[in-house]
Amino acid sequence: RDVYIRNLIKFKMFVSNLYPLVLLGMGVYYVYAIRDNNYGCGADGEPVTRPDEGVWYGLYCALLITYALELLIWPAIITNKFIRSMRVNRFWDRSRVEGRGGKAERFERKLGLILKMLSCIARGKAGGKDLKNKGELKEFASHIMCLLNNQTRLDLVLSDIYLGMRMLSNVQAERKVEAIKKMAKKNKLLQRQLNRDGNQHEFMGSQSPYDPSESEQTEIDLAPRPGRRPTMLVLQMQHNASYEVCEREVLQESNAADQIVMSDGAHFVKYASYIYVELPNCVIDEFMGGEEECSDFKRELDTLFFRDVFRLTSIGLEHAILCYANFVNGIVSTPYAIMIDEEMKCVVIAVRGTRSLEDLVVDVQFVPESLEKIGRVCGFRGEDRYCHKGFLARSKWMYNDIKKSKVLKTLHSDQSPFKDYPLVLCGHSLGAGCASILSLMLRPSFPSLQCFAYEPPGCIFDDELSEECSEFITSFVRHDDLVPRLSYHNFETLRDEFFNAFARIKVPKIELFFHLKVPYSERFVALRNAQVLRPQEDIPTGTIFNEQLELFRAERAEKNSRGVNRVQLFIPGKIVHLVDISGDGNYVPYWARRGEFNQLEISKRMYADHDIHSLVGILRDTRLGGANTVSLAFHNAPLIYVDDEDDSENDVRLFAFCSNPYGKLPIILWVLGLIATSLSTNASIGCDFVRVSFDAANVNGTLSLAYGIFTYELLDCDTSTGPCDKIQDYMDNTECVPYPPKLEHGGYGQTGLIFHGLAGIFGWFALSMLLISMCFIFKQRTWGIITVLLLGVTLFEGLVLIIGREFSVWCSEPDAVCSIGADAIKVIVACCIWFLMAIGSGYLAMVGKRSETRIENIGEGNELEESPQIDQKTQNP
């Protein structure tokens, strides 16, 4: 890295700085010259324009000053001395705390300043009013430091983190491929299914860690039998970081309990979605008279029994009646609403998820908090029970606020028509975590309570309490959603695996960067990893990085063993995992286990899958399985082929932006194509394609003109060089003008126009395909098509040039003298460039054929030892 940076600095100092220096000098001289000459008007004239005035001149001066500050060293020296003086005299941070604990408080203040800046940038729409930087961020800062602050410093930069994460993803994919192949060898039914359907599904990367409660499975009986429940195969990580194929039950239509879970989940997800925006807007616009500031909505207790008022018809919840809503959002408070659902005959409490900076601060307060005291107050067993500290604080606030409002008490009183309505809680993300804890606190008073947690964080309850909550909490997780996999222990696991993958890298960073940009089929992931990663047992132990890593791991192990984070938190209740097996949006729900979400996975969908609004439609449209057969589709598995006799035509061609799989040659061809296109376009809009001179009737002397495809131009004789004996002695007279309507090009001219149009179409398609080739691996026939297109452009441009002499009827006049002009020369050069591009494309076609042959050989296992490296020309394994 130092070698590259040193060369860049030298280039900046001795080469790149010459341009701004010259620009600075030229700018000063230009201003001086125009002012000294009175703007070109002499001593007595009055300038018409003053180019050194106005907005553009001001911007130009600002640019010069910026360059001067960059080039001159003294401004940097003065600024440095000024900052040092402020720090020494305590003007920079008067509240700076020294000594024990001072580092944590300084970090807290810096985080507070960052959050306040974000709040100002968002103009208050992202919250931040409660972030006054007066101690409320202490927990937030301490948890961030717990994750990031260590005495041991690792020599890593951002590029190292990026490459390490990419390689970690490849290592995980390799482990999954090995697990699937191992399982398939033991089960012929699975092997046939994979070989038949392997190229029809898009399998992403997996997420499932080891669950110590499960027994080791060496073989799964997949034989379909009458009455057997549909199942799904998933990849689950074991304690040694390898993967194992496990079987899970799919929710089916014939099971009444499964039907109720999915129908209720699809119904109450609307409340979890509308509590974000739709419900507050409805309350403000319809129930509060359009007030800009609306902190809460509360009806009189004696009006809660009215059924025809405060209905939420405008937002699509015509069966819902709003009873109470509190939209206060702070460090402790969270927005929620209480409604009556007449369709399901229940009382609903919907809790909003993360939408403000205060919510973000609460999310990070993941430290386990004991429920012993809360259990004594609410009436449940809280000894040795733990939950998310930040969510617990907000749940206690909601519990007290509900008790203070007396809404639930009134709705379930003896006089209430809703006294037999059960209580249902729901929420998304942070709201799901708060709803889960609140349901635990309210259940002693409402035994029939149910809670639906949509995409909850993966750190809510401890393992034992999560299992006990299965009676009344159901969690829904969508595909590769990141949030249900977020926890302190998952982050620690991801960091250890990242360091392990990074330590195995054996090639320079710049080589690894281009290696990762090359598309490849996932069935070659092991071969690809072997080219850049050393085996686990060959990791060097004497390097500085390895010594730092060992110290770092020892320090983290000591902190985790004596800290409260030794208690691991999980997703609560029963878990319905919605997986998009084929990638077309048709989700399949199955009963998942908490152990499947105890690892962070790098996926392209991990952020998009957390969207609550799309989850509403997914739960509505998801259909349960009805056949008594076994589902052999893997969730989160790479696309592989168990059989080694694969046809290369089924190879997956992946897209990677600017990966340059063919090196620099397509880039050179594309640039040449742009040059040729510019020449051809310039020639087509010009009027100097052919020059003609002839004796025209009704004109004294000789008429000389130049004409192009669409315009023409009259020429004058340049008498300064003598008589005009040749047509080249004529000079331009006027600008190019279109042909008169009555003047026709003639048959040759019409043909030339057609050829010119075909050349443009062929050239556009060829350039587009060359641009795509910078990111996509083409087959031989594709390069053959590009070559044909380029040869076609060369032919059509040449035909335009050949018939150019007959472009107009003037060349057929008696004594007419015609010759080619500058635009024709441009077409000649363009033809040569197009032909050279065709030669280069033909070469790539031959290279593509060799690459496909080699891929076939690798797929058959014939070249693994002979050619383990990447083809330097094609960058294709």
Side-chain angles (χ1 to χ4, degrees), residues 176-397:
K176 298 163 193 171
V177 170
E178 293 176 357
I180 297 175
K181 286 187 175 181
K182 183 179 179 180
M183 179 64 190
K185 290 179 180 178
K186 298 180 180 180
N187 195 296
K188 297 299 182 182
L189 177 63
L190 175 60
Q191 182 173 349
R192 290 195 300 270
Q193 182 76 10
L194 285 174
N195 289 334
R196 183 173 69 250
D197 299 336
N199 60 339
Q200 298 178 4
H201 300 291
E202 177 186 356
F203 297 109
M204 314 295 290
S206 128
Q207 86 281 344
S208 310
Y210 175 72
D211 187 356
S213 64
E214 288 191 309
S215 60
E216 297 288 339
Q217 294 183 354
T218 58
E219 185 173 355
I220 299 176
D221 182 15
L222 298 178
R225 296 187 300 270
R228 177 172 181 171
R229 187 184 181 97
T231 59
M232 174 175 291
L233 301 179
V234 298
L235 288 170
Q236 180 163 317
M237 175 172 279
Q238 304 181 62
H239 62 281
N240 58 356
S242 61
Y243 287 87
E244 182 185 20
V245 179
C246 301
E247 190 176 13
R248 297 289 182 263
E249 293 182 349
V250 177
L251 279 75
Q252 56 181 342
E253 188 176 2
S254 59
N255 189 291
D258 293 349
Q259 284 188 345
I260 294 175
V261 168
M262 290 303 297
S263 61
D264 289 351
H267 180 83
F268 292 109
V269 70
K270 299 178 183 178
Y271 293 97
S273 174
Y274 294 164
I275 189 65
Y276 278 93
V277 179
E278 289 84 352
L279 181 59
N281 291 341
C282 176
V283 171
I284 294 174
D285 296 338
E286 299 184 18
F287 306 151
M288 303 294 292
E291 295 183 9
E292 295 183 1
E293 295 292 336
C294 177
S295 59
D296 60 357
F297 169 80
K298 183 177 181 180
R299 295 168 53 182
E300 295 295 334
L301 296 179
D302 55 358
T303 66
L304 292 177
F305 304 153
F306 298 161
R307 297 176 179 267
D308 298 329
V309 294
F310 301 109
R311 285 190 174 270
L312 304 177
T313 306
S314 61
I315 61 174
L317 297 176
E318 57 277 351
H319 52 270
I321 304 173
L322 181 63
C323 297
Y324 178 79
N326 196 324
F327 301 117
V328 177
N329 191 195
I331 296 295
V332 178
S333 57
T334 189
Y336 75 100
I338 302 176
M339 295 156 282
I340 298 174
D341 190 326
E342 293 193 319
E343 179 180 341
M344 301 296 291
K345 298 188 181 302
C346 62
V347 178
V348 181
I349 299 179
V351 187
R352 199 194 74 182
T354 302
R355 197 168 181 262
S356 66
L357 295 175
E358 288 87 351
D359 298 335
L360 181 63
V361 172
V362 174
D363 287 331
V364 182
Q365 296 179 9
F366 47 78
V367 173
E369 182 78 1
S370 176
L371 291 171
E372 183 175 358
K373 183 177 179 180
I374 300 298
R376 289 197 301 266
V377 174
C378 299
F380 65 90
R381 178 176 171 267
E383 294 81 6
D384 298 328
R385 300 291 187 268
Y386 295 88
C387 72
H388 189 287
K389 184 175 183 178
F391 297 164
L392 177 60
R394 289 200 167 185
S395 300
K396 290 191 293 185
W397 178 87

Side-chain angles (χ1 to χ4, degrees), residues 146 367-368 386 488-489 555-568:
C146 182
V367 173
Y386 295 88
Y488 177 84
H489 289 80
E555 180 184 346
R556 296 305 308 176
E558 181 183 358
K559 286 186 177 182
N560 294 333
S561 62
R562 55 184 171 86
V564 70
N565 287 316
R566 65 182 182 275
V567 178
Q568 188 172 359

Side-chain angles (χ1 to χ4, degrees), residues 31-219:
V31 175
Y32 167 78
I34 62 175
R35 290 181 178 179
D36 184 65
N37 193 33
N38 194 22
Y39 304 97
C41 297
D44 301 328
E46 180 65 25
V48 179
T49 59
R50 298 177 183 269
D52 59 339
E53 295 179 356
V55 178
W56 292 109
Y57 177 73
L59 295 175
Y60 181 74
C61 292
L63 178 64
L64 295 181
I65 295 174
T66 303
Y67 278 141
L69 292 176
E70 180 183 352
L71 297 173
L72 301 177
I73 192 62
W74 58 266
I77 296 176
I78 294 177
T79 304
N80 186 37
K81 290 184 175 296
F82 177 72
I83 294 176
R84 285 179 176 272
S85 176
M86 294 182 65
R87 288 180 174 176
V88 170
N89 293 281
R90 301 289 183 90
F91 290 107
W92 186 264
D93 185 6
R94 287 186 175 272
S95 60
R96 183 182 179 90
V97 181
E98 303 293 345
R100 184 178 179 86
K103 184 176 182 180
E105 190 163 343
R106 292 195 300 274
F107 184 69
E108 175 189 347
R109 293 183 181 277
K110 292 177 181 178
L111 282 177
L113 290 175
I114 294 174
L115 293 176
K116 292 298 291 184
M117 290 175 59
L118 293 176
S119 177
C120 294
I121 293 174
R123 295 180 297 179
K125 295 182 179 180
K129 295 181 179 180
D130 275 9
L131 303 178
K132 304 183 184 302
N133 214 359
K134 294 183 179 180
E136 68 276 359
L137 298 177
K138 183 178 180 180
E139 295 287 344
F140 177 66
S142 63
H143 297 155
I144 293 292
M145 292 183 67
C146 182
L147 284 174
L148 305 179
N149 183 41
N150 300 280
Q151 298 297 328
T152 305
R153 300 300 180 193
L154 296 174
D155 185 18
L156 293 176
V157 295
L158 291 178
S159 59
D160 297 332
I161 297 176
Y162 168 77
L163 295 175
M165 297 301 289
R166 289 290 304 273
M167 289 312 304
L168 174 59
S169 177
N170 289 356
V171 170
Q172 292 174 345
E174 179 181 355
R175 294 170 183 168
K176 298 163 193 171
V177 170
E178 293 176 357
I180 297 175
K181 286 187 175 181
K182 183 179 179 180
M183 179 64 190
K185 290 179 180 178
K186 298 180 180 180
N187 195 296
K188 297 299 182 182
L189 177 63
L190 175 60
Q191 182 173 349
R192 290 195 300 270
Q193 182 76 10
L194 285 174
N195 289 334
R196 183 173 69 250
D197 299 336
N199 60 339
Q200 298 178 4
H201 300 291
E202 177 186 356
F203 297 109
M204 314 295 290
S206 128
Q207 86 281 344
S208 310
Y210 175 72
D211 187 356
S213 64
E214 288 191 309
S215 60
E216 297 288 339
Q217 294 183 354
T218 58
E219 185 173 355

Side-chain angles (χ1 to χ4, degrees), residues 287-519:
F287 306 151
M288 303 294 292
E291 295 183 9
E292 295 183 1
E293 295 292 336
C294 177
S295 59
D296 60 357
F297 169 80
K298 183 177 181 180
R299 295 168 53 182
E300 295 295 334
L301 296 179
D302 55 358
T303 66
L304 292 177
F305 304 153
F306 298 161
R307 297 176 179 267
D308 298 329
V309 294
F310 301 109
R311 285 190 174 270
L312 304 177
T313 306
S314 61
I315 61 174
L317 297 176
E318 57 277 351
H319 52 270
I321 304 173
L322 181 63
C323 297
Y324 178 79
N326 196 324
F327 301 117
V328 177
N329 191 195
I331 296 295
V332 178
S333 57
T334 189
Y336 75 100
I338 302 176
M339 295 156 282
I340 298 174
D341 190 326
E342 293 193 319
E343 179 180 341
M344 301 296 291
K345 298 188 181 302
C346 62
V347 178
V348 181
I349 299 179
V351 187
R352 199 194 74 182
T354 302
R355 197 168 181 262
S356 66
L357 295 175
E358 288 87 351
D359 298 335
L360 181 63
V361 172
V362 174
D363 287 331
V364 182
Q365 296 179 9
F366 47 78
V367 173
E369 182 78 1
S370 176
L371 291 171
E372 183 175 358
K373 183 177 179 180
I374 300 298
R376 289 197 301 266
V377 174
C378 299
F380 65 90
R381 178 176 171 267
E383 294 81 6
D384 298 328
R385 300 291 187 268
Y386 295 88
C387 72
H388 189 287
K389 184 175 183 178
F391 297 164
L392 177 60
R394 289 200 167 185
S395 300
K396 290 191 293 185
W397 178 87
M398 284 191 295
Y399 183 87
N400 294 329
D401 191 66
I402 291 173
K403 188 175 181 180
K404 180 181 177 181
S405 66
K406 300 181 180 180
V407 174
L408 284 185
K409 182 179 180 180
T410 304
L411 290 176
H412 290 88
S413 62
D414 295 335
Q415 298 81 16
S416 173
F418 313 111
K419 61 181 180 180
D420 296 328
Y421 281 22
L423 184 62
V424 176
L425 288 84
C426 61
H428 169 257
S429 189
L430 177 147
C434 294
S436 300
I437 300 176
L438 182 61
S439 65
L440 181 66
M441 300 168 66
L442 292 175
R443 192 163 188 266
S445 302
F446 302 91
S448 60
L449 172 148
Q450 290 292 320
C451 177
F452 294 92
Y454 300 99
E455 298 173 334
C459 50
I460 298 179
F461 291 144
D462 63 83
D463 190 18
E464 187 175 351
L465 182 56
S466 298
E467 183 64 28
E468 293 176 358
C469 294
S470 299
E471 298 180 9
F472 59 93
I473 297 179
T474 304
S475 298
F476 292 83
V477 179
R478 176 185 171 191
H479 205 69
D480 289 337
D481 188 4
L482 173 67
V483 174
R485 298 169 175 87
L486 285 179
S487 68
Y488 177 84
H489 289 80
N490 290 0
F491 183 83
E492 290 282 324
T493 303
L494 177 69
R495 183 165 52 190
D496 291 340
E497 292 188 0
F498 162 78
F499 287 139
N500 184 71
F502 186 79
R504 293 178 57 190
I505 298 175
K506 64 180 181 180
V507 298
K509 187 190 302 185
I510 188 67
E511 181 179 342
L512 179 61
F513 178 79
F514 287 106
H515 174 86
L516 291 172
K517 293 177 66 177
V518 177

